[in-house]
Amino acid sequence: MAEVMPVVQRVPGVALLKAYRREWLAKDVVAGVVLTTLLVPQGMAYAELAGLPPITGLYTTIMCLLGYAVLGPSRILVLGPDSSLGPMIAATVLPLVGSGGDPQRAVALASVLAILVAVIMTVAAVAKLGFIADLLSKPTMLGYMNGLALTILVGQLPKLFGFKVDADGLVGEVVGFVQGVAQGEAVPAAVAVGGVGIVLVLALQRWVPRVPAIMVMVVLAILATSLFGLAARGVDLVGVLPKGFPPFTIPDLQRGDIALLVGGALGIATISLADTISTSSAFAARSGQEVHGNQEMIGIGAANLAAGLFQGFPVSTSGSRTAVAERSGAKTQLTGVVGAGLIIVMIVLVPGLLQNLPQPALAAVVITASLSLADVPGTARLWKQQRIEFVLSVAAFLGVALLGVLPGIAIAIGLSILNVFRRAWLPYETVLGKVDGLEGYHDVHSYPDARRLPGLVIYRFDAPLFFANAKTFRDEVRTLARTEPRPRWILVAAEPITDVDTTASDVLQELDEELDGAGTHLVFAELKDPVRRKMDRYGLARQIEPRHFFPTLESAISAYQAETGARWHESAASEAAPGSA
């Protein structure tokens, strides 16, 4: 028992209780009350976005807040149903349920999905795989989010207009929506409620950010239902929610369900982790806290496991809800616990509190959330700053928009990895020269008047040497060796070369033999010790003479001058600068 206690005391929630200050209590309670006004409508709206009953959004919100409060490391982060995960959950679960399927089966599959995400997060945390979140580069994440925003927006338009569309894919939904409006299926009262709701939320968020915009819109929409008889005008309402809290539930599965859910769980876990790490980093920087990536994965895992065992679905961090908690004065995770407690009180004692909430109002909540996901100015900046990253962003956007959410995330990750590979495959390479008034040796493309020594080419290759780029290195060195007059030394400024694999070693050996036969020596300076030791193990020392390895560029150049008597040219402006990428 004594051995167990220190372990228990290291649990973040327990450690926080021990360090809790009395003066934080009032602030946490007030922030919890304010936060609840956002948790309830968003939880219900995002459940419907995932293709699930609205009540499951509240179950999920309660349990993930409690789970993260125990094992999550951040004092202020708020987890819950998320607009970016909703389409991914729907894309994974609904095809297994089938057209007109049982809602309870959909809930069970979504719960299993949450449990799988919890398992993936926990295993990743134990294996210290927090770096996986870095697989999504900012440009591809930008494109993915833009595509997701458009997908969510288009998917919610029929609900906003008071009718339904039975179609698959973005193009099919757009066609179905346009046809529905053209055939007069739109309900004017629904359009009015949804349109006013969107305008109201966006206006309040922009000009009065401290006011809980979504809650204000929800209250006014409920009042409008009574004042204008919206139900009689064809507007769908949420209705009375199931009373009480769900019991601990082991989801009932069919054979083969788990195998079909794993792909979706991996995508959801990746997005959830990337979102959580980026959000926690942003808020931690403002409060002076540190981000613990592996502990965050355990916290996310605990939140998803708790949700999955009580008829919930996968969750992630919410930047908007975390910002509301922070602005309301939250100090600890007690804020989320208060919010969970208030939701429990609502569904147990007053389940009919939101029965007159119009469905178009929930659509307005989702649409305003989708607009916050998009970043068109950021995409425009990519066009100005780096065209290749703009192309990657657009490709990720089209992947989500045209192929679907799950293929879209796979494309986004694949493009990020390919971009890393592209940079290593075709790295920047250049020739260096001496610039008057500056220490060291510099890129002749940036300094065309840089001076060079006759017969010496100083060549820099800005990447590790491995199987994919070894031939690129070889071809550029060959090009440099064929210049007239032919250089006596090609001196590789090797400080950026952080690794050499066996394929590159073989290429270097053949290249050195070829150059020696033509009267040019391949020389290295500033090789890192681990890289030099690898080259020795590969047997390169038998081919490249030890005297052709130097600790610094200066020592190499001094040795060359001592051997040849060469002196620096006055200017290199008249010489063509060989080799660039």
Side-chain angles (χ1 to χ4, degrees):
M1 184 67 178
E3 295 179 357
V4 174
M5 286 306 296
V7 176
V8 173
Q9 290 171 359
R10 288 198 295 269
V11 172
V14 175
L16 180 60
L17 281 177
K18 292 180 64 178
Y20 197 84
R21 300 178 186 175
R22 183 177 300 177
E23 60 266 26
W24 291 347
L25 181 60
K27 293 180 179 180
D28 279 340
V29 171
V30 171
V33 173
V34 174
L35 183 63
T36 305
T37 65
L38 188 62
L39 294 174
V40 172
Q42 280 194 345
M44 297 171 66
Y46 297 162
E48 293 205 333
L49 180 62
L52 302 168
I55 188 64
T56 60
L58 302 185
Y59 297 158
T60 301
T61 301
I62 293 167
M63 297 313 302
C64 77
L65 289 173
L66 297 177
Y68 189 83
V70 175
L71 292 176
S74 172
R75 289 193 172 189
I76 195 172
L77 218 57
V78 179
L79 268 66
D82 188 67
S83 57
S84 63
L85 298 189
M88 298 180 73
I89 297 168
T92 305
V93 169
L94 296 187
L96 301 181
V97 176
S99 178
D102 180 8
Q104 289 305 312
R105 173 159 165 73
V107 172
L109 290 169
S111 296
V112 174
L113 198 57
I115 294 171
L116 287 174
V117 171
V119 171
I120 292 169
M121 287 292 187
T122 305
V123 170
V126 171
K128 301 187 183 303
L129 299 178
F131 68 88
I132 290 175
D134 298 331
L135 290 178
L136 282 169
S137 67
K138 185 174 180 180
T140 51
M141 191 67 173
L142 196 65
Y144 171 78
M145 286 299 182
N146 286 339
L148 195 62
L150 181 62
T151 300
I152 293 172
L153 175 64
V154 170
Q156 291 295 305
L157 284 177
K159 184 176 176 181
L160 188 78
F161 277 63
F163 63 93
K164 295 181 180 180
V165 169
D166 185 15
D168 292 325
L170 182 68
V171 175
E173 289 181 341
V174 169
V175 171
F177 172 71
V178 172
Q179 288 177 343
V181 172
Q183 294 169 4
E185 295 182 28
V187 178
V191 176
V193 170
V196 171
I198 291 172
V199 172
L200 181 61
V201 169
L202 293 178
L204 290 176
Q205 287 178 341
R206 177 171 184 131
W207 288 299
V208 198
R210 290 188 174 275
V211 172
I214 291 176
M215 192 61 193
V216 170
M217 186 271 290
V218 165
V219 170
L220 292 177
I222 293 173
L223 290 175
T225 299
S226 302
L227 291 174
F228 301 109
L230 295 181
R233 296 174 181 267
V235 178
D236 291 333
L237 306 179
V238 168
V240 179
L241 297 174
K243 185 176 182 179
F245 194 75
F248 175 86
T249 305
I250 302 296
D252 184 25
L253 294 179
Q254 294 182 9
R255 182 176 298 178
D257 282 343
I258 291 182
L260 296 172
L261 294 173
V262 167
L266 286 169
I268 290 169
T270 302
I271 290 296
S272 180
L273 177 59
D275 194 22
T276 298
I277 295 297
S278 60
T279 304
S280 62
S281 298
F283 283 94
R286 285 153 57 169
S287 61
Q289 299 178 37
E290 293 184 4
V291 175
H292 304 282
N294 292 311
Q295 185 63 49
E296 284 291 2
M297 284 192 284
I298 292 176
I300 302 169
N304 277 281
L305 180 62
L309 294 176
F310 288 85
Q311 299 182 27
F313 51 85
V315 298
S316 180
T317 302
S318 169
S320 62
R321 278 166 282 188
T322 302
V324 167
E326 183 190 50
R327 287 199 302 265
S328 303
K331 296 296 181 183
T332 70
Q333 285 297 325
L334 182 60
T335 294
V337 174
V338 170
L342 291 174
I343 298 174
I344 292 173
V345 170
M346 187 194 82
I347 62 177
V348 170
L349 300 181
V350 281
L353 183 64
L354 300 176
Q355 62 180 323
N356 289 328
L357 176 61
Q359 289 285 358
L362 289 182
V365 172
V366 175
I367 288 173
T368 53
S370 74
L371 295 176
S372 69
L373 293 177
D375 187 358
V376 176
T379 306
R381 280 196 302 273
L382 287 179
W383 172 258
K384 297 177 182 177
Q385 296 170 352
Q386 184 68 276
R387 295 291 171 87
I388 185 65
E389 294 195 341
F390 171 81
V391 171
L392 291 172
S393 181
V394 170
F397 167 80
L398 293 175
V400 176
L402 300 180
L403 300 179
V405 176
L406 291 180
I409 185 61
I411 289 171
I413 293 175
L415 288 173
S416 295
I417 295 172
L418 284 175
N419 192 31
V420 173
F421 190 77
R422 178 192 65 84
R423 290 173 182 273
W425 177 39
L426 295 173
Y428 186 76
E429 49 188 335
T430 189
V431 169
L432 305 180
K434 192 170 186 178
V435 179
D436 291 336
L438 293 178
E439 293 186 2
Y441 302 90
H442 302 275
D443 189 342
V444 297
H445 299 98
S446 299
Y447 298 93
D449 293 331
R451 295 187 289 144
R452 283 177 263 172
L453 280 170
L456 175 69
V457 175
I458 307 173
Y459 171 58
R460 192 182 70 206
F461 187 82
D462 291 349
L465 267 174
F466 67 115
F467 67 92
N469 64 20
K471 292 182 179 179
T472 302
F473 177 91
R474 180 199 63 189
D475 292 345
E476 187 58 31
V477 171
R478 281 175 172 172
T479 300
L480 294 171
R482 286 195 294 265
T483 57
E484 292 295 338
R486 189 179 183 93
R488 296 179 62 175
W489 278 22
I490 295 180
L491 172 58
V492 180
E495 195 268 342
I497 299 177
T498 56
D499 194 17
V500 175
D501 73 358
T502 55
T503 302
S505 172
D506 291 342
V507 169
L508 286 176
Q509 187 166 332
E510 294 170 4
L511 178 62
D512 184 71
E513 186 176 348
E514 175 187 322
L515 293 177
D516 282 347
T520 298
H521 295 303
L522 186 63
V523 181
F524 291 87
E526 299 184 342
L527 262 177
K528 292 178 170 59
D529 289 342
V531 180
R532 175 67 188 276
R533 287 193 291 269
K534 277 190 175 183
M535 292 174 70
D536 289 342
R537 287 201 306 272
Y538 298 152
L540 276 173
R542 292 192 297 271
Q543 174 63 41
I544 303 176
E545 298 179 40
R547 66 188 183 91
H548 286 161
F549 290 92
F550 294 89
T552 65
L553 282 175
E554 283 291 355
S555 62
I557 292 168
S558 296
Y560 177 76
Q561 288 182 299
E563 179 180 311
T564 64
R567 294 292 179 265
W568 291 99
H569 280 311
E570 287 301 319
S571 172
S574 61
E575 299 181 24
S580 71

